[in-house]
């Protein structure tokens, strides 16, 4: 047994928990939209063709914001293809994923789905093959109330009220050579700034997101953000971050520590943004929108011959997640919460089928992948303020990230309800950890406590169509309450949520 200790202090507040931390991403890619959230003719489909089994799982997952419609897809997308009578919508080539886009689902359908799922839309405009005018046009269509050509077209298409979309991504990953319309940082910075000015002229209160690097391994990482922010600092509210992690060559130890890389990523972009802000003598603090993050076995995808040429809704990157992946996803959420003072929006990529917590079969069931569980539990329990959470515990050596803590955790505290939640991982592959959570600084008594843990003797176990609940969260009974706090045993390779309620002694 290893031992670790964490002292929580209700005064050590990092920032409020941002509900937008629990965002997700729906791209017109593979089977995310078609046979994912939309499948007319499916036994569970509603009057709009939306799968109600997927809607129910989306609500259970607790997602708040949904980035739409891409991704790489958006950089070649014509939004107006997806409006008006379905029979007249064009089928188009999607060059990003070499698929056929039928345009059966467009912004009107997606807005209806988002209202049913009770999520906020984060809309990405095409700054790859398009520019300022098209961004203004889609904005007029979705947000102008009435009395202009595109607002009235939306009304004629059945949506009397505007959608009131507040968050707008100015393009997607334009630093990447794979991106349609890939640009230099300078060219993108100029286009993003012109688009931001135009959108703000239309609606000053929008929240705008400039593209940051598509990963920290890009050769232009950091320099890209610096140049883009020099052009846009006082015009945008966020710079985006994207990161995908995977296990390489069976190196579970490094993979389990990849949240340390996310920590470093965030700290680097905060430092870069603040240095531009200082140089421009701006009083604004740039926020980070971590609007693509997840586990993605990208190298497997890159090594495979792509067989989905020019088909509708092919099976693309339908990664099946195991226990280690779920622990990593839980840990990445710990990292995002820890940075809640600067990361104020985030989207796990993606929602259904495509590297997703929810899987479906056409005409068949929908089920929860392993990674569904830490996300849903964190979204449900993280309330109030994020507390600075420093773990005193063992460390281990990793090949990729050097020395890393064996235990990583973050806590939240809701002063209104007295609820405290602690989210914690044990990265050790063999040895359990006894974690002591010291609550003496609260000066209160622990009334109730419960813990649930995701772990398994087989860390490669997955949830499949035939065994949909092979890996779930289970109550952790190795939990005890003491005068000054609680102790919980964390199994090897595990993610745990501890929920406590604290109250005055009298
Ligand atoms: O989420 C899959 C893809 O990853 C997105 O389309 C792109 O933005 C990123 O590279």
């Amino acid at each position: 047994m290893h031992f670790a200790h964490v002292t929580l202090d209700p005064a050590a507040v990092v920032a409020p928990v941002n509900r937008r931390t629990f965002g997700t991403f729906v791209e017109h890619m593979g089977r995310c939209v078609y046979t994912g959230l939309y499948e007319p003719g499916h036994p569970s489909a509603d009057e709009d063709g939306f799968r109600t089994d997927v809607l129910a799982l989306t609500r259970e997952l607790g997602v708040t914001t949904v980035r739409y419609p891409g991704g790489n897809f958006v950089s070649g997308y014509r939004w107006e293809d997806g409006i008006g009578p379905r029979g007249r919508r064009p089928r188009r080539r999607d060059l990003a994923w070499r698929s056929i886009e039928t345009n059966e689902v467009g912004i009107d359908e997606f807005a209806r789905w988002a209202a049913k799922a009770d999520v906020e839309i984060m809309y990405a405009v095409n700054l790859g093959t398009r520019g300022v005018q098209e961004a203004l046009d889609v904005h007029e269509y979705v947000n102008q109330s009435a009395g202009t050509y595109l607002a009235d077209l939306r009304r004629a298409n059945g949506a009397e009220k505007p959608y009131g979309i507040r968050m707008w991504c100015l393009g997607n990953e334009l630093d990447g050579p794979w991106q349609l319309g890939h640009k230099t940082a300078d060219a993108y910075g100029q286009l993003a700034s012109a688009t931001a000015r135009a959108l703000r002229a239309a609606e000053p209160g929008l929240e705008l997101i400039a593209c940051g690097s598509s990963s920290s391994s890009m050769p232009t990482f950091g320099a890209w953000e610096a140049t883009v922010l020099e052009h846009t600092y006082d015009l945008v509210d966020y710079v985006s971050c994207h990161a995908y992690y995977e296990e390489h060559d069976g190196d579970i130890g490094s993979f389990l520590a990849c949240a340390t890389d996310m920590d470093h990523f965030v700290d680097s972009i905060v430092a870069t943004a603040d240095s531009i802000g200082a140089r421009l003598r701006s009083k604004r603090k740039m926020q980070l929108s971590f609007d693509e993050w997840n586990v993605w076995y990208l190298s497997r995808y890159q090594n495979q011959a792509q067989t989905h040429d020019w088909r509708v809704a092919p099976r693309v990157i339908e990664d099946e997640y195991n226990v280690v992946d779920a622990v990593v996803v839980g840990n990445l959420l710990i990292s995002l919460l820890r940075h809640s003072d600067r990361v104020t929006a985030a989207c796990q990529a993606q929602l259904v089928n495509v590297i997703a917590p929810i899987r479906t079969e056409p005409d068949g069931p929908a089920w929860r992948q392993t990674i569904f569980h830490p996300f849903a539990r964190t979204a449900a329990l993280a309330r109030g303020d994020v507390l600075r959470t420093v773990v005193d515990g063992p460390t281990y050596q990793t090949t990729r990230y050097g020395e890393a803590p064996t235990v990583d955790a973050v806590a939240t505290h809701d002063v209104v309800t007295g609820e405290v939640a602690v989210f914690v991982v044990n990265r050790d592959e063999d040895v359990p950890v006894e974690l002591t959570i010291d609550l003496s600084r609260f000066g209160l008594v622990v009334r109730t406590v419960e813990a649930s843990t995701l772990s398994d003797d087989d860390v490669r176990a997955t949830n499949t169509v035939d065994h949909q609940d092979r890996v779930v969260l289970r109550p952790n009974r190795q939990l005890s309450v003491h005068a000054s706090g609680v102790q919980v045993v964390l199994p090897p390779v595990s993610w745990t949520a501890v929920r406590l309620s604290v109250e005055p002694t009298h």
Side-chain angles (χ1 to χ4, degrees):
M1 181 83 78
H2 289 318
F3 296 90
H5 188 276
V6 61
T7 301
L8 298 181
D9 182 344
V13 172
V14 174
V17 174
N18 304 290
R19 297 317 303 165
R20 283 176 174 163
T21 304
F22 304 107
T24 185
F25 178 31
V26 168
E27 177 165 5
H28 282 248
M29 172 180 179
R31 299 193 310 113
C32 187
V33 173
Y34 305 109
T35 74
L37 54 90
Y38 174 79
E39 190 180 344
H42 186 275
S44 83
D46 67 9
E47 66 288 356
D48 290 317
F50 299 130
R51 288 183 61 147
T52 54
D53 54 355
V54 172
L55 271 169
L57 286 175
T58 302
R59 290 191 205 100
E60 185 185 322
L61 188 59
V63 297
T64 51
T65 316
V66 185
R67 185 166 176 255
Y68 176 85
N72 295 344
F73 168 81
V74 83
S75 295
Y77 181 51
R78 293 178 248 209
W79 68 273
E80 63 275 27
D81 286 349
I83 60 170
R86 279 217 174 92
R88 283 199 236 133
R89 297 188 192 176
R91 285 164 73 92
R92 299 267 193 202
R93 292 180 307 184
D94 161 26
L95 298 182
W97 305 108
R98 296 185 67 83
S99 312
I100 298 290
E101 172 56 50
T102 64
N103 285 303
E104 267 175 87
V105 171
I107 183 59
D108 291 319
E109 290 78 20
F110 187 70
R112 265 203 297 284
W113 181 86
K116 290 180 187 196
D118 195 21
V119 294
E120 175 190 18
I121 298 174
M122 175 195 277
Y123 192 83
V125 298
N126 174 358
L127 292 189
T129 59
R130 303 188 118 187
V132 179
Q133 186 59 59
E134 292 87 352
L136 281 174
D137 287 350
V138 67
H139 173 269
E140 181 185 332
Y141 186 84
V142 298
N143 275 13
Q144 190 78 26
S145 51
T148 66
Y149 174 71
L150 289 168
D152 289 341
L153 186 58
R154 182 201 67 244
R155 294 170 67 220
N157 286 337
E160 179 59 32
K161 290 215 172 86
Y163 300 135
I165 299 175
R166 285 187 62 83
M167 299 193 85
W168 291 73
C169 302
L170 304 174
N172 178 67
E173 292 191 352
L174 286 146
D175 62 324
W178 60 86
Q179 200 73 205
L180 275 180
H182 160 60
K183 291 171 180 45
T184 63
D186 205 42
Y188 170 70
Q190 286 178 24
L191 179 57
S193 125
T195 311
R197 275 180 213 284
L199 287 171
R200 286 219 186 283
E203 189 177 347
L206 298 179
E207 296 178 54
L208 304 180
I209 304 162
C211 289
S213 297
S214 48
S215 86
S216 60
S217 59
M218 294 300 288
T220 50
F221 179 67
W224 169 274
E225 283 81 355
T227 305
V228 168
L229 290 176
E230 270 165 15
H231 286 284
T232 58
Y233 198 89
D234 284 319
L235 293 165
V236 301
D237 304 284
Y238 299 84
V239 61
S240 74
C241 305
H242 291 182
Y244 293 101
Y245 296 99
E246 65 182 303
E247 184 189 318
H248 293 276
D249 308 319
D251 181 4
I252 293 185
S254 292
F255 182 42
L256 283 166
C258 66
T260 61
D261 185 71
M262 185 181 246
D263 291 338
H264 181 65
F265 189 141
V266 170
D267 295 343
S268 307
I269 299 306
V270 166
T272 305
D274 287 353
S275 82
I276 302 299
R279 216 155 65 216
L280 298 175
R281 291 176 173 72
S282 175
K283 296 224 173 348
R284 307 178 78 228
K285 278 269 181 257
M286 191 57 55
Q287 301 169 73
L288 272 54
S289 171
F290 220 117
D291 48 41
E292 283 189 37
W293 69 269
N294 206 353
V295 172
W296 174 8
Y297 286 85
L298 178 61
S299 49
R300 274 187 218 157
Y301 173 73
Q302 286 168 335
N303 293 338
Q304 274 161 9
Q306 302 312 321
T307 53
H308 51 269
D309 275 14
W310 315 121
R311 282 190 277 132
V312 176
R315 289 180 186 261
V316 189
I317 58 169
E318 298 194 359
D319 287 1
E320 189 173 287
Y321 292 114
N322 62 30
V323 172
V324 189
D325 301 326
V327 172
V328 166
V329 161
N331 202 163
L332 294 173
L333 274 168
I334 289 171
S335 171
L336 292 171
L337 281 171
R338 171 162 50 233
H339 292 101
S340 290
D341 53 336
R342 299 303 289 268
V343 180
T344 51
C347 303
Q348 189 185 33
Q350 299 187 6
L351 179 65
V352 195
N353 290 327
V354 178
I355 45 172
I358 301 172
R359 279 289 301 273
T360 69
E361 276 302 315
D363 212 26
W367 69 98
R368 303 164 191 80
Q369 293 233 57
T370 60
I371 62 169
F372 183 101
H373 297 290
F375 189 111
R377 190 55 63 100
T378 308
L381 297 188
R383 289 282 184 277
D385 294 321
V386 178
L387 301 183
R388 188 151 14 92
T389 311
V390 182
V391 180
D392 183 11
T395 61
Y396 70 113
Q397 278 303 323
T398 71
T399 315
R400 278 181 176 252
Y401 308 117
E403 188 177 359
T406 304
V407 177
D408 192 20
V410 73
T412 63
H413 174 219
D414 187 338
V415 281
V416 179
T417 62
E419 295 249 323
V420 175
V422 182
F423 308 100
V424 56
V425 291
N426 175 9
R427 295 168 172 156
D428 197 289
E429 289 177 59
D430 305 303
V431 184
V433 173
E434 184 181 276
L435 175 70
T436 301
I437 305 171
D438 184 337
L439 295 157
S440 53
R441 292 193 192 162
F442 280 74
L444 300 165
V445 70
V446 175
R447 286 276 179 237
T448 58
V449 59
E450 62 179 17
S452 41
T453 292
L454 189 143
S455 69
D456 202 286
D457 289 344
D458 176 7
V459 296
R460 303 292 181 195
T462 61
N463 293 340
T464 62
V465 64
D466 296 324
H467 297 99
Q468 297 176 9
D469 294 318
R470 167 71 182 78
V471 180
V472 292
L473 282 176
R474 299 191 193 282
N476 185 325
R477 309 218 186 273
Q478 290 183 284
L479 182 69
S480 52
V481 182
H482 301 275
S484 60
V486 301
Q487 272 173 355
V488 59
V489 176
L490 313 171
V493 189
S494 65
W495 177 91
T496 296
V498 183
R499 177 195 204 175
L500 306 141
S501 98
V502 286
E503 286 175 15
T505 37
H506 47 82

